[in-house]
């Protein structure tokens, strides 16, 4: 039997409703935007389809000027945390979101989350213009307000006793978009110093999931400092670091795990890269998700699975967050690492084809359809 069909059958007998999760801490309003190449009339236009084509047009304007028309297509929940949270909320688990969703009141874009998620907002959200192309996306962010995502503001809004109580009972504590939260490293350190010692020991460790989210713009020493703190969480949590392909090579370069040329040219295999990162960081799991496959190392064993790649997705912004949601959901449900990879890629595969995250039945049905070449 195809392992995807077998997994679909396994998932159909699972129930994620009893899971408890905490997700934080960023928050953006995303505007998905197409860039105009040629306009025929007030309604019809052709797109600039690739980042390279846009780059060529920009370079040609050097020393001159040019007009680039942007057409917003969707205004939606943005930020790695809210998108991941929104994906997890489709499974009707008990979820708390803490972060920058608007202050002093929650921005209207995030109101749709309130039906399924308890919200604690303690900072004004950022704003992202997401320029989408067939070969990637350019995320143009306005994020000064995210400076208010601090340990002190978190406890002021949630309360230390409530925060400890929530962490004591949760199955997942997910912290994503580190690169856009200047004070997150400090928050991790203060939680490690002040909160973790107060948590009860549990038979099965909950998951602490971290996604750096394109750390290239942050200083190397700050990246090293943040990553070094993760190991402190392994006493209380099963620590998972999630990276896309570019981030994995960038982090390996910062940590000097291979020679610079091999990493810049991506000549190091995913397996060697994944194993080296996990060994150096000494956390429980490092998972890497290129667009066409995913891999992870758990208990010193490497796993890799191919994904349901699509050349022209209907929506790509948020695909990585949906993978993260599906992968960590799989681990929480007790799946094997390779099955969790397939669950992650099925979640993102459904999302990029349908522009929304799957509910639980849609997730395992998509997995079966994928195996039967019906997607």
């Amino acid at each position: 039997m195809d392992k995807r069909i077998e997994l679909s059958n396994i998932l159909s007998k699972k129930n994620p409703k009893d899971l408890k999760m905490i997700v934080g801490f960023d928050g953006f309003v995303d505007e998905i935007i197409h860039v105009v190449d040629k306009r025929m009339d007030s309604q019809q236009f052709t797109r600039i389809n690739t980042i390279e084509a846009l780059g060529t047009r920009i370079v040609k304007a050097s020393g001159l000027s040019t007009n680039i028309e942007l057409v917003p297509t969707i205004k939606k929940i943005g930020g790695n945390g809210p998108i991941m949270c929104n994906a997890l909320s489709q499974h009707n688990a008990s979820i708390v979101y803490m972060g920058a969703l608007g202050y002093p009141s929650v921005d209207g874009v995030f109101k749709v989350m309130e039906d399924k998620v308890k919200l604690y907002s303690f900072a004004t959200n950022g704003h992202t213009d997401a320029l989408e192309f067939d070969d990637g996306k350019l995320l143009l962010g306005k994020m000064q307000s995210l400076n208010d995502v601090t340990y002190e503001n978190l406890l002021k809004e949630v309360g230390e006793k409530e925060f400890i109580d929530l962490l004591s009972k949760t199955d997942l504590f997910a912290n994503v978009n580190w690169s856009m939260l200047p004070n997150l490293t400090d928050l991790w350190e203060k939680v490690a110093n002040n909160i973790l010692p107060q948590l009860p020991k549990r038979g099965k460790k909950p998951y602490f999931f971290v996604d750096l989210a394109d750390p290239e713009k942050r200083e190397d020493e700050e990246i090293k400092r943040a990553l070094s703190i993760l190991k402190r969480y392994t006493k209380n949590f099963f620590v998972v670091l999630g990276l896309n392909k570019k981030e994995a090579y960038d982090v390996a370069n910062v940590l000097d795990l291979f020679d610079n040329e091999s990493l810049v040219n991506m000549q190091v295999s995913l397996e060697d890269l994944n194993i080296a990162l996990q060994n150096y960081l000494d956390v429980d799991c490092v998972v890497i998700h290129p667009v066409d496959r995913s891999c992870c190392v758990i208990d010193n064993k490497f796993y890799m699975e191919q994904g349901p790649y699509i050349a022209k997705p209907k929506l790509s912004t948020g695909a990585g967050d949906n993978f993260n949601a599906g992968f960590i959901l799989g681990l929480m449900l007790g799946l094997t690492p390779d099955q969790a990879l397939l669950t992650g890629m099925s979640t993102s595969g459904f999302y990029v084809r349908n522009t929304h995250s799957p509910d639980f039945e849609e997730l395992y049905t998509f997995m079966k359809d994928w195996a039967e070449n019906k997607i």
Side-chain angles (χ1 to χ4, degrees):
M1 181 186 292
D2 188 292
K3 68 184 342 180
R4 293 164 294 181
I5 294 177
E6 181 182 10
L7 178 53
S8 177
N9 292 336
I10 291 171
L11 285 173
S12 69
K13 299 175 176 62
K14 298 278 186 180
N15 187 353
K17 293 181 180 180
D18 294 332
L19 295 172
K20 295 180 173 61
M21 311 177 198
I22 303 168
V23 185
F25 292 100
D26 69 323
F28 283 81
V29 172
D30 273 2
E31 285 195 76
I32 310 301
I33 291 172
H34 290 166
V35 184
V36 174
D37 183 15
K38 299 289 185 183
R39 180 168 284 283
M40 280 70 80
D41 55 40
S42 61
Q43 299 298 319
Q44 298 184 15
F45 64 90
T46 58
R47 290 173 56 201
I48 294 178
N49 288 320
T50 66
I51 294 174
E52 182 180 6
L54 175 62
T56 299
R57 181 169 294 193
I58 291 171
V59 169
K60 284 170 64 178
S62 178
L64 304 167
S65 64
T66 192
N67 177 280
I68 295 174
E69 182 182 355
L70 307 178
V71 179
T73 61
I74 305 171
K75 193 174 183 179
K76 66 180 195 61
I77 289 172
N80 300 89
I83 294 174
M84 183 181 182
C85 179
N86 199 46
L88 288 166
S89 73
Q90 304 310 306
H91 308 307
N92 298 315
S94 176
I95 304 181
V96 173
Y97 192 86
M98 305 172 181
L101 305 181
Y103 192 80
S105 59
V106 174
D107 187 283
V109 168
F110 301 103
K111 292 285 187 178
V112 295
M113 297 173 64
E114 289 184 321
D115 289 342
K116 296 183 176 182
V117 181
K118 181 175 178 59
L119 305 180
Y120 289 100
S121 183
F122 54 91
T124 301
N125 57 277
H127 189 281
T128 297
D129 290 332
L131 280 56
E132 291 213 328
F133 304 90
D134 292 343
D135 62 342
K137 56 201 172 191
L138 296 176
L139 305 179
L140 309 179
K142 308 174 188 78
M143 58 196 76
Q144 187 175 359
S145 61
L146 299 185
N147 293 344
D148 293 331
V149 176
T150 66
Y151 175 80
E152 290 74 19
N153 286 339
L154 167 65
L155 291 193
K156 182 179 177 182
E157 177 65 25
V158 179
E160 182 175 310
K161 183 178 179 182
E162 175 69 3
F163 187 49
I164 291 170
D165 186 59
L166 289 168
L167 282 178
S168 298
K169 299 173 182 175
T170 197
D171 298 295
L172 170 67
F173 183 35
N175 288 199
V176 294
N177 211 351
W178 171 85
S179 68
M180 293 187 187
L181 298 170
N183 297 310
L184 187 53
T185 306
D186 178 72
L187 187 153
W188 285 346
E189 199 158 46
K190 289 176 178 175
V191 168
N193 291 338
N194 303 324
I195 303 298
L196 296 189
Q198 300 188 62
L199 299 182
K201 290 192 175 182
R202 297 163 63 178
K204 184 180 185 297
K205 289 181 181 178
Y207 290 91
F208 180 49
F209 180 87
V210 171
D211 183 13
L212 297 183
D214 200 5
E216 185 179 14
K217 72 175 185 177
R218 299 290 289 272
E219 294 290 334
D220 288 359
E221 290 307 311
E222 183 65 13
I223 295 171
K224 291 177 183 177
R225 178 177 168 236
L227 291 171
S228 70
I229 294 172
L230 298 183
K231 188 177 178 182
R232 297 182 61 185
Y233 281 74
T234 58
K235 292 180 181 179
N236 299 85
F237 293 89
F238 186 98
V239 177
V240 180
L241 174 64
L243 302 163
N244 67 26
K245 184 178 180 180
K246 177 183 180 298
E247 292 160 1
Y249 282 96
D250 286 348
V251 170
N253 205 350
V254 169
L255 300 177
D256 201 24
L257 299 183
F258 300 92
D259 70 272
N260 181 67
E261 185 178 352
S262 296
L263 289 168
V264 169
N265 296 320
M266 294 188 178
Q267 294 170 334
V268 178
S269 72
L270 277 173
E271 181 173 359
D272 289 344
L273 181 71
N274 204 161
I275 291 170
L277 284 166
Q278 200 273 337
N279 286 341
Y280 181 93
L281 297 171
D282 199 20
V283 294
D284 298 289
C285 170
V286 174
V287 57
I288 305 173
H289 53 93
V291 294
D292 62 340
R293 69 195 68 195
S294 62
C295 57
C296 69
V297 174
I298 294 180
D299 291 332
N300 297 314
K301 185 175 179 182
F302 175 76
Y303 302 84
M304 184 162 68
E305 295 291 338
Q306 297 293 318
Y309 176 72
I310 180 171
K312 293 189 176 182
K314 292 181 180 178
L315 176 64
S316 61
T317 301
D321 304 308
N322 274 264
F323 170 83
N324 290 339
F327 177 74
I328 204 68
L329 174 69
L331 293 183
M332 285 189 286
L333 291 174
L335 301 181
T336 59
D338 55 324
Q339 290 174 334
L341 292 172
L342 291 170
T343 305
M345 291 186 294
S346 295
T347 302
S348 60
F350 181 98
Y351 174 84
V352 300
R353 289 166 173 81
N354 297 281
T355 72
H356 65 89
S357 303
D359 63 29
F360 200 57
E361 184 175 353
E362 287 172 330
L363 172 59
Y364 61 74
T365 300
F366 177 89
M367 203 174 291
K368 184 172 181 289
D369 289 344
W370 171 21
E372 297 174 347
N373 297 313
K374 294 179 181 179
I375 60 173

